[in-house]
Amino acid sequence: MTDDIRPPGAFCWFDLKTRDVPGTAVFLSGALGWETAEPAGLRAALVLTRDGYPVGSLSDLANPIYRPDLPEHVAWYVAVDDVEARIAAAELAGAAIVLAPFEVPGQGRMATLVDPFGAAISLWEPTGFSGWTFPRGTLGAPFAPAHAGPEPGDAAAFYRTVGLSDDDVVFERAAGPAEWRLRVHGPDLPVTTPGEITIYPAEQVL
């Protein structure tokens, strides 16, 4: 990561969605040193910080905007230069579009897809909010996430179509539907949240 605006093709944010916001916040503080702060115009989610740098957000699945059967999960955002063009390319490459491009007032434009392997991801074209600004290697900060699934080579080829940089992601072979795995720089990992979300060390080979 750098302390500059995240470039197109780089992951720029994550949102951990849980049904136990207070319990998850306490857990993340103890396990990773992440603190919570009230957002400054960044939706209704709590902002997660490390050493004063925003590293992600924490959303409440009790909010009626979410389906009641939606499991706890981490939503990922990758910066793109043109959300309409990238989502169209993704659909041609076999993605299912969950949310067509729309405006987040004062922040950016986004769209959400499920890739051909079963993992969801959002594309973010920033206008006011560009995501992470922490320096590379910040202890306890997110690192390039891992796409774990049965076809890592095909997944890598698909995400090149979407515009994702090979330098900002790891593709690993794993059984079952594909998923994105949250990885951070930090000790005493992996750890699992009260909502059964596992957070992996950046240095670990999955």
Side-chain angles (χ1 to χ4, degrees), residues 150-175:
E151 302 173 79
D154 290 344
F158 167 81
Y159 277 100
R160 290 188 197 102
T161 300
V162 176
L164 180 60
S165 169
D166 289 344
D167 295 333
D168 211 55
V169 63
V170 172
F171 292 94
E172 296 288 345
R173 187 174 302 279

Side-chain angles (χ1 to χ4, degrees), residues 68-126:
D69 61 338
L70 195 65
E72 299 199 15
H73 65 283
V74 177
W76 282 99
Y77 298 81
V78 63
V80 296
D81 49 2
D82 184 331
V83 69
E84 274 82 5
R86 293 300 183 182
I87 203 75
E91 188 170 28
L92 285 174
I97 309 307
V98 177
L99 289 173
F102 66 95
E103 188 81 18
V104 181
Q107 303 294 322
R109 289 183 58 75
M110 69 169 285
T112 302
L113 62 88
V114 174
D115 68 30
F117 317 95
I121 194 168
S122 292
L123 309 184
W124 180 257
E125 182 182 347

Side-chain angles (χ1 to χ4, degrees), residues 32 51 67 69 100-101 110 153 159 162 168 186 191 197 206:
L32 299 173
D51 297 338
R67 299 194 327 261
D69 61 338
M110 69 169 285
Y159 277 100
V162 176
D168 211 55
V191 296
I197 294 172
L206 302 181

Side-chain angles (χ1 to χ4, degrees), residues 172-186:
E172 296 288 345
R173 187 174 302 279
E179 63 174 355
W180 287 102
R181 292 179 175 176
L182 174 57
R183 303 194 305 155
V184 303
H185 285 297

